[in-house]
Amino acid sequence: MPKALGRHPEKKLTAVAVNAAKLPGRYADGNGLYLVVSPSGAKTWLLRCVVQGRRRDIGLGSVRLVTLAEARDEATMLRKAARAGDDPLAARQRARRGVPTFAEAAERVHGEHKASWRNPKHAQQWINTLTTYAFPIIGHRRVDHIQTQDVLKVLTPIWLAKPETARRVRQRIGTVLDWARAAGFREGENPVASVTSGLPKQTQPKGHHSALPYAEVPSFMSDLRACGAGEEVRLAFEFLILTAARTGEVLGATWGEVDLDAKVWTVPASRMKAKREHRVPLSPRAMAILARAKELAGYSNDEMPDAGAFVFPGTKRERPLSNMALTMVLRRMRSADRGTGRAGVTAHGF
């Protein structure tokens, strides 16, 4: 049996002793680190430690590749991870790969998810909110070091002042840290899960958008037709109200989506917010609007427009009417009604 075989952990190994060890067995360096010499003469490092109540032996590599000093450093790191309740092997993998900072992780998550977001504006806002509110406080911290108190520091200044923004920042921080856990860079519960308990309760203002009383709709429709805006714009606005559609759905409508015989407008899933096809039955007035739109576009009653042509084109026929055109009609009518006591109107989609 080798003289230093595991009996006296306080007796540290030296580089000379490591080179001189020939007999098969385990030579203790202390604190659970051993030099293991196999019967073939191969020499490797072994760390014995307790992980979550169970003893585990973790290999640290060959003496030819790992020096005594390097073995001691890695053993110290793994023991600290074990004492903290972490998995030492996972901790070693993170250390070897290099744990990213929160800012680095957020950029990676943004890059990976950007292609799946339909709205480029939302994709840019996603990273901008983190850049503005989170990066100055936790951007430089490694994702495995971020705790609930760190997230609290980010959210506290804006939680009441900018409640909607704060909720979005909280959700996006949570997404980044979920990714970090899935990628093996951190362990344990996401600190965002419990952060709300340390924040004051947000007041939720309740209310509805202003809307025109139902009894005043006939008068409004008359005013719309006489407001002086271009006929194509007035028709599009009225069609929007009659179909209860979103502004973008009406402005992007093409003749290929309209079945004049069945009196149905089918909005494809690709143009719907919920990504589900939407069928809209058309009233007699809606059909009359479409007939007039055909006439304004230069088509005869029996002629069917090109499937890809817009129902409500803009000045350039290959482009749809702009959203601002409808907004300006609404502003013009509000201006005309100023001082009359009439309530405002909010069309669905504005």
Side-chain angles (χ1 to χ4, degrees):
M1 179 180 293
K3 185 176 181 180
L5 183 60
R7 294 183 177 178
H8 304 287
E10 72 281 359
K11 294 183 179 179
K12 299 284 186 179
L13 293 174
T14 64
V16 174
V18 170
N19 291 331
K22 302 296 182 184
L23 294 177
R26 294 183 179 181
Y27 297 80
D29 184 60
N31 295 318
L33 177 62
Y34 293 89
L35 168 67
V36 179
V37 180
S38 70
S40 66
K43 301 176 184 179
T44 58
W45 298 109
L46 176 74
L47 174 65
R48 173 168 290 182
C49 62
V50 177
V51 180
Q52 298 175 352
R54 298 178 61 185
R55 191 181 73 182
R56 292 184 63 178
D57 289 347
I58 303 172
L60 304 184
S62 169
V63 168
R64 293 184 295 103
L65 301 176
V66 181
T67 67
L68 174 60
E70 290 171 342
R72 287 171 175 168
D73 289 342
E74 186 161 4
T76 299
M77 183 270 292
L78 296 178
R79 283 196 301 270
K80 287 181 179 179
R83 285 198 297 270
D86 196 1
D87 182 347
L89 294 178
R92 182 168 63 179
Q93 291 173 354
R94 289 196 301 269
R96 288 177 176 176
R97 284 184 294 178
V99 179
T101 64
F102 180 84
E104 292 168 343
E107 293 286 356
R108 289 178 62 176
V109 173
H110 178 251
E112 292 174 4
H113 288 72
K114 186 166 55 175
S116 66
W117 288 322
R118 298 190 300 268
N119 189 341
K121 183 178 180 180
H122 167 73
Q124 193 58 43
Q125 287 176 339
W126 194 95
I127 194 64
N128 285 348
T129 52
L130 293 179
T131 301
T132 301
Y133 301 106
F135 287 6
I137 299 174
I138 62 173
H140 64 286
R141 292 181 62 82
R142 283 175 24 176
V143 289
D144 59 330
H145 290 171
I146 294 175
Q147 303 297 326
T148 301
Q149 58 267 31
D150 300 311
V151 181
L152 192 63
K153 290 178 182 178
V154 175
L155 298 178
T156 298
I158 59 174
W159 189 249
L160 296 180
K162 301 178 180 180
E164 182 61 29
T165 299
R167 288 193 293 271
R168 291 176 180 175
V169 171
R170 177 186 61 184
Q171 185 270 332
R172 290 163 188 173
I173 292 175
T175 298
V176 174
L177 296 181
D178 279 341
W179 172 89
R181 181 178 180 181
F185 292 124
R186 62 175 291 124
E187 300 286 337
E189 183 185 48
N190 191 322
V192 172
S194 57
V195 72
T196 306
S197 60
L199 292 164
K201 184 177 180 180
Q202 291 179 333
T203 56
Q204 298 286 347
K206 295 182 179 180
H208 300 285
H209 294 294
S210 58
L212 190 70
Y214 180 77
E216 295 184 22
V217 172
S219 177
F220 173 83
M221 298 299 279
S222 296
D223 292 345
L224 172 62
R225 294 163 189 160
C227 72
E231 187 174 4
E232 294 91 343
V233 179
R234 289 185 279 114
L235 290 174
F237 203 140
E238 188 174 352
F239 189 80
L240 181 147
I241 296 172
L242 291 171
T243 57
R246 295 179 181 276
T247 308
E249 294 160 9
V250 170
L251 298 182
T254 62
W255 286 107
E257 299 173 0
V258 179
D259 188 336
L260 295 176
D261 295 329
K263 300 179 181 179
V264 172
W265 170 36
T266 302
V267 187
S270 60
R271 293 208 307 110
M272 292 296 297
K273 183 177 182 180
K275 295 302 177 184
R276 293 168 58 186
E277 183 180 272
H278 183 54
R279 292 167 57 84
V280 184
L282 299 173
S283 65
R285 176 55 187 164
M287 291 295 295
I289 290 174
L290 293 177
R292 180 55 180 161
K294 275 181 60 179
E295 185 178 346
L296 291 173
Y299 296 98
S300 65
N301 290 336
D302 298 331
E303 189 179 2
M304 189 61 194
D306 294 336
F310 290 107
V311 176
F312 303 107
T315 305
K316 295 182 178 180
R317 311 306 287 179
E318 69 275 9
R319 293 185 180 181
L321 198 66
S322 73
N323 191 12
M324 182 55 68
L326 300 188
T327 303
M328 292 307 296
V329 170
L330 196 61
R331 290 178 181 174
R332 179 180 297 183
M333 296 182 67
R334 283 175 174 169
S335 178
D337 287 339
R338 191 170 297 153
T340 65
R342 172 179 288 179
V345 61
T346 299
H348 184 67
F350 278 87

